């Protein structure tokens, strides 16, 4: 019997990145069900979805903007892994007590990573110049 794709589900919180749909597609290509919700979604909707993990997408905002969007703070207390990408990482770091700093080293284009639990080399694209110090 085939495993049910809905057993493991990943929720992607969209902060306005142009590549949020691509993130969802890549997750689905790995055989994992995913849905995209707006970053300001009601916490009860997140709980109903019952994700096994969450991804916070990037977006055009900056954590230096006083009115920049944040993830619902309860997301970090749900006991599931949370991956922040670009702005998602920055807001996660800021919300969890870390500090986001500008960097003189800019990264553009493809980079290579080798995840420890996923076979093969992955090639993500990047375009950023901020990072978290220290990681929360």
């Amino acid at each position: 019997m085939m495993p049910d794709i809905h057993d493991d589900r990943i929720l992607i919180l969209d902060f306005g990145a142009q590549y949020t749909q691509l993130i969802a597609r890549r997750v689905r290509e790995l055989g994992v069900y995913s849905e995209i919700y707006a970053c300001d979604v009601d916490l009860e909707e997140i709980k109903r979805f019952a994700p096994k993990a969450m991804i916070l997408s990037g977006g055009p905002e900056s954590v230096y903007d006083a009115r920049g969007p944040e993830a619902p703070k309860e997301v970090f207390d749900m006991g599931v892994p949370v991956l922040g990408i670009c702005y998602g990482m920055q807001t996660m770091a800021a919300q969890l007590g870390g500090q986001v700093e500008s960097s003189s080293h800019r990264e553009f284009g493809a980079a290579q990573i080798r995840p420890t639990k996923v076979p093969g080399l992955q090639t993500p694209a990047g375009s950023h110049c901020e990072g978290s110090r220290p990681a929360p």
Side-chain angles (χ1 to χ4, degrees):
M1 182 162 84
M2 300 261 318
D4 185 353
I5 190 171
H6 297 94
D7 285 345
D8 294 323
R9 32 176 74 217
I10 293 184
L11 177 61
I12 301 166
L13 292 183
D14 183 14
F15 285 88
Q18 297 174 352
Y19 51 80
T20 301
Q21 295 289 334
L22 178 59
I23 294 169
R25 180 175 143 210
R26 295 290 190 221
V27 168
R28 292 173 189 143
E29 286 174 352
L30 293 170
V32 179
Y33 181 75
S34 66
E35 288 187 16
I36 300 169
Y37 288 14
C39 64
D40 60 354
V41 66
D42 182 65
L43 181 63
E44 291 307 311
E45 285 188 57
I46 294 174
K47 288 180 178 178
R48 270 193 297 280
F49 182 72
K52 294 278 179 97
M54 286 184 263
I55 298 174
L56 310 181
S57 81
E61 305 292 338
S62 170
V63 293
Y64 297 120
D65 182 357
R67 294 187 287 157
E70 293 185 339
K73 64 181 180 178
E74 297 86 357
V75 160
F76 305 113
D77 298 324
M78 293 182 66
V80 300
V82 180
L83 170 66
I85 299 175
C86 199
Y87 180 81
M89 183 279 302
Q90 293 175 19
T91 191
M92 180 168 55
Q95 287 182 249
L96 295 175
Q99 211 172 353
V100 177
E101 300 176 343
S102 291
S103 172
S104 60
H105 176 73
R106 295 181 177 265
E107 297 176 356
F108 297 98
Q112 293 186 338
I113 61 171
R114 190 176 308 277
T116 57
K117 295 192 178 190
V118 179
L121 189 65
Q122 308 293 315
T123 306
S127 175
H128 55 85
C129 63
E130 296 172 321
S132 173
R133 304 272 190 271

